[in-house]
Amino acid sequence: MIDVGERLKELMEARGLNMHSLAKRSGLSWNTIKNFYSRKSIPTVTTISMLCDGLGITLAQFFDVDGDNVHLTAEQQHVINRWDALTDREKEIIDGMMDIALNSRKQSEN
């Protein structure tokens, strides 16, 4: 069985997040996260999903402690880490820019 508190610590450290920033990103209270972090309570799947949203990962990635199922290149991880640091508005802008780039390439291929 996965130690949610340890996994949460690991993922937060990897992304340079503290409990306050994860609370803001996930929509959970700081105290709720602190309780998981200190193993005082066990989160529901819904709550873990909210934590994953705040961490910018999937549920599969949360539970993949050995790294067997999710394989990212260093470049992909770098992009994800930078994406996680963006605001929602900045993500919308970048997403729109990617759409433009992909559509432009598609049109030039035709």
Side-chain angles (χ1 to χ4, degrees):
M1 181 150 187
I2 188 170
D3 183 329
V4 174
E6 276 303 309
R7 183 64 174 150
L8 196 53
K9 285 179 187 179
E10 175 186 310
L11 292 166
M12 287 170 55
E13 287 174 10
R15 287 159 179 76
L17 298 174
N18 60 36
M19 285 186 268
H20 292 285
S21 58
L22 181 57
K24 185 176 180 180
R25 288 171 170 236
S26 66
L28 296 167
S29 73
W30 173 84
N31 198 43
T32 297
I33 294 172
K34 182 180 177 211
N35 286 337
F36 303 144
Y37 205 79
S38 61
R39 296 178 189 89
K40 290 183 181 175
S41 64
I42 300 171
T44 64
V45 173
T46 301
T47 304
I48 292 174
S49 179
M50 292 174 74
L51 290 168
C52 289
D53 288 344
L55 292 164
I57 62 172
T58 64
L59 279 168
Q61 290 171 311
F62 185 88
F63 289 104
D64 183 27
V65 294
D66 297 327
D68 292 338
N69 296 320
V70 181
H71 301 286
L72 298 176
T73 66
E75 181 182 33
Q76 290 168 327
Q77 188 61 56
H78 175 74
V79 169
I80 289 170
N81 290 342
R82 293 186 72 190
W83 179 265
D84 289 343
L86 298 173
T87 66
D88 287 342
R89 179 65 184 133
E90 291 165 338
K91 289 177 183 178
E92 288 175 19
I93 293 167
I94 298 298
D95 190 50
M97 292 171 67
M98 288 190 295
D99 286 342
I100 291 168
L102 292 170
N103 288 334
S104 175
R105 183 179 67 192
K106 187 176 178 181
Q107 288 175 358
S108 68
E109 291 173 353
N110 290 332

